[in-house]
Amino acid sequence: DGGITQSPKYLFRKEGQNVTLSCEQNLNHDAMYWYRQDPGQGLRLIYYSQIVNDFQKGDIAEGYSVSREKKESFPLTVTSAQKNPTAFYLCASSSPFSQNTEAFFGQGTRLTVV
Amino acid sequence: RKEVEQDPGPFNVPEGATVAFNCTYSNSASQSFFWYRQDCRKEPKLLMSVYSSGNEDGRFTAQLNRASQYISLLIRDSKLSDSATYLCVVRRASKIIFGSGTRLSIRP
């Protein structure tokens, strides 16, 4: 089955530690995205990538880093510089804009920093 | 100002009612538009795309007004299962931007 896999589903980390969230897709999509969602809020764009070895900052990139070494993978690192990292993190992928398609989401990772 | 603005909600309506959600976007270069549905503690899922000519999918009707930069979603004969958060989504090139969502609760 084609889809997007995020792991782990739940993640607990101590304050001050970096943590990396995994996102893998087998939909052959070029574009991939990371969003953050806080309780009762919408999705805010952290980073996105249109193609391998290229990515752009979204609206709330501070304290986060990404890489796109393979088409299938777009990991997100939450660094110690992120002031309030506890949130629901969603990864998505999409076909290139020319195909005018929507984003497909993974099931998300709930990160709790204690 | 947010690039995509939605009715804040929440909407609490009886089963069988008709409910309408509105959304505005600020960037005229926006090119594709969607409504997503998100259930509690789940990922968003596509409800429907929105076209300039308007489009309908069963009880759901979406409209786009490019001149006013306005998108709407109408739900007729609402069901208990329609209770969710509805997200307005705008695509500009490869950037996909979500509104903050409108929460809908349908009561028996």
Side-chain angles (χ1 to χ4, degrees):
Chain A
D1 282 336
I4 302 174
T5 302
Q6 288 187 245
S7 61
K9 191 171 182 179
Y10 299 96
L11 187 57
F12 295 87
R13 278 294 181 270
K14 290 183 178 180
E15 194 170 342
Q17 288 183 335
N18 290 359
V19 59
T20 297
L21 281 56
S22 169
C23 178
E24 304 278 333
Q25 55 100 357
N26 60 4
L27 299 168
N28 199 33
H29 285 165
D30 287 308
M32 295 188 74
Y33 307 82
W34 274 106
Y35 295 89
R36 168 184 173 139
Q37 187 173 36
D38 293 285
Q41 304 292 316
L43 279 67
R44 292 185 290 167
L45 183 61
I46 304 172
Y47 269 99
Y48 63 107
S49 168
Q50 300 179 64
I51 199 168
V52 174
N53 292 323
D54 183 60
F55 49 82
Q56 289 81 41
K57 291 182 179 180
D59 300 318
I60 55 164
E62 186 175 351
Y64 300 97
S65 65
V66 293
S67 63
R68 187 84 188 277
E69 297 176 3
K70 298 187 300 181
K71 186 175 185 178
E72 302 80 16
S73 180
F74 191 41
L76 173 74
T77 297
V78 185
T79 75
S80 56
Q82 169 48 235
K83 301 296 183 192
N84 185 19
T86 294
F88 186 38
Y89 290 88
L90 287 154
C91 178
S93 71
S94 178
S95 294
F97 173 70
S98 59
Q99 297 183 24
N100 196 28
T101 59
E102 72 275 22
F104 296 84
F105 282 87
Q107 292 188 315
T109 293
R110 292 194 180 275
L111 173 64
T112 302
V113 174
V114 296
Chain B
R1 183 189 174 189
K2 292 182 180 177
E3 189 164 346
V4 180
E5 301 257 23
Q6 287 187 244
D7 284 347
F11 287 63
N12 187 318
V13 302
E15 198 172 5
T18 295
V19 61
F21 302 140
N22 301 317
C23 172
T24 58
Y25 59 97
S26 60
N27 195 318
S28 59
S30 300
Q31 290 163 298
S32 303
F33 308 90
F34 310 92
W35 283 101
Y36 276 69
R37 170 192 169 128
Q38 186 176 26
D39 293 296
C40 190
R41 300 179 72 81
K42 298 285 190 181
E43 75 275 20
K45 294 188 177 176
L46 179 70
L47 179 66
M48 58 197 304
S49 300
V50 188
Y51 304 114
S52 296
S53 55
N55 48 301
E56 187 174 309
D57 183 2
R59 298 181 291 108
F60 299 84
T61 300
Q63 296 276 355
L64 167 64
N65 184 320
R66 286 187 184 271
S68 302
Q69 297 181 193
Y70 173 93
I71 306 159
S72 66
L73 176 68
L74 184 76
I75 305 175
R76 292 181 300 277
D77 187 25
S78 53
K79 312 292 185 191
L80 294 174
S81 58
D82 293 334
S83 296
T85 297
Y86 291 83
L87 299 159
C88 174
V89 181
V90 168
R91 183 167 184 169
R92 176 166 44 83
S94 285
K95 194 173 182 182
I96 300 178
I97 304 125
F98 283 73
S100 56
T102 302
R103 187 178 176 90
L104 173 65
S105 293
I106 308 297
R107 61 180 187 269

